Amino acid sequence: MTGNAMTDQWYPVGLFSQLGRAGRRTALMGVPIEVGLDAAGNAEVTDASGRALPVCVRYSHVWSSLGAPRKALFAIPEADQPGRRFVDVGVVRVRCSPLRAVENFLDIAHFPFVHTDILGAEPHTEVQDYKVEIREAEDEVWATQVQFYQPQAAKSASGGITTQYMYRVPAPTCSVLYKTCPPRPGEWDVITLFVQPLAEDLCDVWPWMALFDDTTAMTDLIHFQQMIFLQDRSILENQIPRLLPLDPGMEIPTRADLTSVAYRRWLKRHGYTYGAELVAQ
């Protein structure tokens, strides 16, 4: 197990609704763990030696840590907003660094090329100027004033629209996306990426959504988001190097990559390096 600063973070380790007394065997940062329910029906997580690990249940998921988290799991206020539908998308296993998975989620420029005729389309390929900052008070990376033309921005969308985005990185392997809500202008749909680092080059990705959509079938919402991420998986699993480079000279960013640059700088500042390539090989 690494002594990395990421040891003391919270990580998703399963959907609470899928737990049983038998337990689910999985891993966290290379350490085998078991996730299940105790006699009272509460979530519990143990390592191979039987040691009880920290546990919390939030956003439909069970979260745990190999260390001692210094603060509570980050807040998503929309998770407590009446009228939203909460979508447990499930899990997708990806042969890549958990940090690569998050960075890909933050990338706007790939929409027309990877999610063609859904989240983007040619000739609408230009990424317009947007704002990126590391908010010191919250210790989070934020990208705001992001907009992009999308043929089908959401399952509930009936045609192409210019979609407004905000990206937030509240933890090294988690990101929260706020985007235009087609049925309810003035509100944001919330799409999250919760990443469980199984190893430095292998992760389970648990997307979760909090939407205003009263008409689309739950199965369709889940299938739409799974389709999007499966398109991403083929890209992620072919990236070289497999780990995320933190040395600025290893991969040359463009103007569209401001969020990625800030994310990498934030990771390096805190020593969040599990799944990272630190120096050029």
Side-chain angles (χ1 to χ4, degrees), residues 72-92:
L73 183 66
F74 55 87
I76 303 176
E78 292 79 7
D80 300 314
Q81 191 173 5
R84 286 189 181 268
R85 293 179 72 187
F86 304 118
V87 184
D88 304 337
V89 178
V91 64
V92 179

Side-chain angles (χ1 to χ4, degrees), residues 14 21 30 61 89-90 102 104 107 131 141 170 176 186 200 203 206 228 250 270 277:
R21 291 294 301 279
H61 290 77
V89 178
V102 171
N104 177 79
D107 177 33
K131 181 181 178 182
V141 180
V176 183
E200 290 206 74
C203 58
W206 302 85
I228 296 297
M250 292 178 68
H270 288 294
E277 191 85 58

Side-chain angles (χ1 to χ4, degrees), residues 11-21 23-26 33 35-37 41-45 55-64 86-92 192 194 196 204-209 218 222 226:
Y11 297 99
V13 292
L15 277 169
F16 181 76
S17 62
Q18 295 179 353
L19 295 186
R21 291 294 301 279
R24 171 181 179 267
R25 288 184 174 86
T26 180
I33 62 172
V35 187
L37 299 175
N42 301 311
E44 63 177 1
V45 182
V55 176
C56 71
V57 178
R58 195 72 171 103
Y59 319 127
S60 302
H61 290 77
V62 179
W63 300 75
S64 191
F86 304 118
V87 184
D88 304 337
V89 178
V91 64
V92 179
T192 69
F194 302 147
Q196 175 184 352
D204 276 348
V205 177
W206 302 85
W208 178 82
M209 302 188 290
M218 183 63 76
I222 292 171
Q226 286 180 338

Side-chain angles (χ1 to χ4, degrees), residues 55-276:
V55 176
C56 71
V57 178
R58 195 72 171 103
Y59 319 127
S60 302
H61 290 77
V62 179
W63 300 75
S64 191
S65 175
L66 296 178
R70 299 181 183 88
K71 56 184 179 181
L73 183 66
F74 55 87
I76 303 176
E78 292 79 7
D80 300 314
Q81 191 173 5
R84 286 189 181 268
R85 293 179 72 187
F86 304 118
V87 184
D88 304 337
V89 178
V91 64
V92 179
R93 180 156 295 182
V94 189
R95 293 188 302 275
C96 77
S97 160
L99 306 180
R100 280 275 196 204
V102 171
E103 185 188 57
N104 177 79
F105 187 70
L106 303 173
D107 177 33
I108 311 151
H110 79 285
F111 288 167
F113 309 105
V114 179
H115 308 299
T116 308
D117 296 330
I118 304 171
L119 299 185
E122 296 187 70
H124 307 281
T125 60
E126 182 182 0
V127 177
Q128 300 181 36
D129 290 340
Y130 61 95
K131 181 181 178 182
V132 178
E133 60 184 326
I134 297 175
R135 297 187 178 177
E136 301 296 341
E138 298 87 355
D139 193 22
E140 298 181 351
V141 180
W142 278 78
T144 56
Q145 302 174 22
V146 181
Q147 57 182 10
F148 210 83
Y149 174 81
Q150 299 188 321
Q152 187 178 6
K155 189 64 181 176
S156 59
S158 57
I161 59 172
T162 297
T163 306
Q164 308 296 320
Y165 275 80
M166 293 191 297
Y167 287 94
R168 170 190 175 204
V169 182
T173 70
C174 294
S175 185
V176 183
L177 165 64
Y178 304 89
K179 66 183 294 187
T180 299
C181 176
R184 196 178 294 202
E187 295 283 3
W188 297 95
D189 276 340
V190 176
I191 302 173
T192 69
L193 201 74
F194 302 147
V195 182
Q196 175 184 352
L198 302 172
E200 290 206 74
D201 60 356
L202 183 69
C203 58
D204 276 348
V205 177
W206 302 85
W208 178 82
M209 302 188 290
L211 311 176
F212 283 115
D213 183 343
D214 298 327
T215 58
T216 306
M218 183 63 76
T219 300
D220 290 341
L221 291 172
I222 292 171
H223 285 173
F224 181 81
Q225 198 60 30
Q226 286 180 338
M227 173 189 67
I228 296 297
F229 196 77
L230 287 173
Q231 291 174 338
D232 283 318
R233 183 169 69 176
S234 63
I235 304 299
L236 282 166
E237 294 191 338
N238 286 287
Q239 286 184 316
I240 299 173
R242 194 177 292 273
L243 303 186
L244 180 70
L246 296 189
D247 186 322
M250 292 178 68
E251 291 183 343
I252 307 303
T254 68
R255 184 170 55 86
D257 299 323
L258 292 176
T259 312
S260 169
V261 171
Y263 174 57
R264 295 186 190 201
R265 188 166 62 243
W266 180 77
L267 291 172
K268 194 171 184 179
R269 175 201 293 183
H270 288 294
Y272 296 150
T273 55
Y274 188 86

